[in-house]
Amino acid sequence: MAKKSTVIGHATLAKNISNFYEGFLREVNIDMKKSEIILKKRITKNISNTAYSLKELAWMGHPYSRSDPKSIHRPKYTVHKQSGNMVDNILSGTEGASVNSGGLVASAFAGINDSVEYAKYVIYGTSKMVPRDFLTGSLRQEKKNLKEILKRSLHEVTVNFHGKKVKL
Amino acid sequence: MTTNSYEAKVTQEIIKKLKTVTDVTKYVGTRIYPAHPATIQDVNYPAISIHVQPSEGQAISEAGMETIDMQIDFWFRSSNEAGGNTWDDLYECFAAALKELHNNAGWDNTVGINVLMMQNISRGPALFEDDTKIMHYQSKFRTRGTLQ
C-alpha cells in the first residue's frame, strides 16, 4: 500500500535547486567565452606568420608545393599572412549553456567564415599544395588549457543561498 | 616518420586493407600513396593518399599506446576530362574504403602492429580544383594501437 508523506520546505528546496542551476550555468557561460577567446587567439597566431614574404617563399622553391615540399615551420600547419583576409574573417562565438534531459549543453567555436573559399584548400590541401589544418591543430594546442578552464566551472560555482553568496 | 614507427606501420596497414577491397581497387588500382600528392612527383589519378596529421599538442602515449589521426584523401579526375570519373564513382570508392576501415581493428603479424581502434572522425568537404580538374574528398580516421 502506498504511503503519503509531506515534504516540508519544498518551495525553499526548489528555489535552491533553481539558484544552483542559474549559478552553475552562469559560470559555464563565462568559461565558454574564455574558451572562445583562447581558440580565436591561437588560430589568429597560427595563420599570421610573417617570417617570409611571397618573394622569399618563391626563392625557397615554394615549400608548400609539389616542386619542393619541405617543412619550414613549427607547428607544420602554420600559415603565412598574405592579404590578411583569413584573419579578418575568423568567426567565433558561444552557445549559451542549458540543461536538457539531465545533460548539460554548452559550446564555444572558432573557425573561418565560409565566404573565404580558399581557406578550405589551405586546410585540406590540393593536389599541388600540402594541407595545413590549422583549426584542428589550434584546438589540439589548447586542449589542455581548455580542460583546465572547464574544470573551473565545476569547482568555483557560487550560488545565492538565503541572500548569501556561497561557494560550492 | 621512420619505417618502423607506429605512423609508418599504421599507414602500411591501411594500404594493405584498402588493396583488398574491390570497389576501391577497380578505380585506383594500386595507387594508394603513403604521403600527400603534393609531396610526390608524377602522381597518377584516380588515387588515394594517406597523410599523418601533425601531432603537435596531441597526447601520443598512453601505456605504450599511440593515438594518431590520419587524413585519407580521394583524388579523381573530373568526368569532363579524358578517362575521368564522376562524383558518384568517387563516393562509391570512399564508401567501400569507409566500410573496410571504420571499426576495423586487430593484430597484424605481417605488418607488426596491433590496432586497437580505428574510427572515422570526419569526412568532407568535397572540393574541386579548377586548374587541374581534380575532384578531392577528404576524410579523417583516428587510430590507437601499439607496435608488436
Side-chain angles (χ1 to χ4, degrees):
Chain A
M1 182 188 282
K3 282 186 180 176
K4 264 190 170 181
S5 58
T6 306
V7 176
I8 298 167
H10 58 87
T12 309
L13 185 64
K15 197 178 165 193
N16 286 339
I17 290 172
S18 171
N19 282 343
F20 168 76
Y21 271 121
E22 277 173 27
F24 179 63
L25 297 184
R26 188 181 60 239
E27 294 299 323
V28 172
N29 283 334
I30 289 169
D31 289 347
M32 284 296 134
K33 191 69 197 167
K34 282 183 189 169
S35 302
E36 177 202 341
I37 292 166
I38 283 176
L39 275 175
K40 196 176 171 181
K41 266 190 187 169
R42 176 57 67 182
I43 291 170
T44 304
K45 189 179 176 200
N46 282 335
I47 61 174
S48 301
N49 193 293
T50 53
Y52 304 107
S53 66
L54 272 177
K55 202 175 166 184
E56 286 168 323
L57 288 169
W59 181 79
M60 290 161 78
H62 301 287
Y64 308 127
S65 73
R66 184 183 291 170
S67 56
D68 186 20
K70 53 180 169 281
S71 184
I72 57 167
H73 302 297
R74 281 276 164 196
K76 283 182 181 172
Y77 42 78
T78 303
V79 179
H80 267 85
K81 187 176 176 181
Q82 307 292 353
S83 64
N85 198 24
M86 282 209 295
V87 176
D88 293 343
N89 280 284
I90 292 178
L91 200 66
S92 69
T94 60
E95 285 173 33
S98 62
V99 176
N100 289 320
S101 309
L104 174 69
V105 182
S107 69
F109 62 90
I112 307 291
N113 195 315
D114 273 347
S115 64
V116 187
E117 185 65 24
Y118 67 86
K120 289 176 197 158
Y121 294 94
V122 174
I123 293 168
Y124 300 112
T126 71
S127 58
K128 293 190 279 189
M129 182 174 73
V130 293
R132 280 164 290 160
D133 188 352
F134 56 85
L135 293 180
T136 306
S138 299
L139 181 61
R140 278 199 196 133
Q141 278 179 285
E142 295 297 345
K143 204 170 167 183
K144 204 174 166 188
N145 288 337
L146 297 175
K147 268 187 185 169
E148 287 304 313
I149 286 174
L150 295 178
K151 269 190 207 167
R152 192 204 70 96
S153 313
L154 303 171
H155 286 300
E156 294 184 20
V157 177
T158 51
V159 296
N160 197 338
F161 189 76
H162 285 292
K164 284 182 184 173
K165 292 263 183 197
V166 178
K167 191 176 168 187
L168 296 179
Chain B
M1 183 166 72
T2 60
T3 330
N4 289 322
S5 65
Y6 177 75
E7 286 99 330
K9 295 274 185 188
V10 80
T11 302
Q12 201 183 331
E13 178 71 5
I14 290 171
I15 292 172
K16 188 181 162 188
K17 283 182 190 300
L18 291 181
K19 281 185 177 171
T20 65
V21 183
T22 312
D23 281 345
V24 170
T25 55
K26 76 179 182 189
Y27 293 113
V28 302
T30 55
R31 293 180 299 277
I32 305 174
Y33 299 109
H36 194 273
T39 65
I40 303 169
Q41 304 294 333
D42 304 322
V43 178
N44 291 311
Y45 300 99
I48 293 174
S49 66
I50 301 162
H51 167 81
V52 179
Q53 294 271 285
S55 58
E56 280 92 352
Q58 188 178 8
I60 58 166
S61 187
E62 175 189 296
M65 266 184 265
E66 292 195 44
T67 303
I68 55 169
D69 290 349
M70 323 282 293
Q71 183 172 319
I72 303 182
D73 298 86
F74 296 76
W75 310 87
F76 281 49
R77 278 203 193 283
S78 161
S79 54
N80 294 330
E81 301 288 296
N85 293 92
T86 63
W87 278 107
D88 283 347
D89 292 339
L90 186 154
Y91 289 134
E92 185 186 26
C93 182
F94 167 71
L98 178 68
K99 192 176 170 193
E100 175 63 22
L101 299 178
H102 185 62
N103 287 333
N104 190 337
W107 294 83
D108 188 339
N109 292 321
T110 59
V111 173
I113 196 170
N114 179 20
V115 178
L116 295 165
M117 179 276 278
M118 186 180 298
Q119 282 183 328
N120 175 244
I121 53 170
S122 75
R123 63 186 84 166
L127 299 166
F128 183 70
E129 296 174 22
D130 261 334
D131 55 344
T132 55
K133 307 293 177 209
I134 287 174
M135 303 180 291
H136 172 202
Y137 192 73
Q138 76 86 34
S139 60
K140 283 194 181 118
F141 286 79
R142 180 159 296 158
T143 79
R144 182 174 298 136
T146 56
L147 291 172
Q148 281 181 336

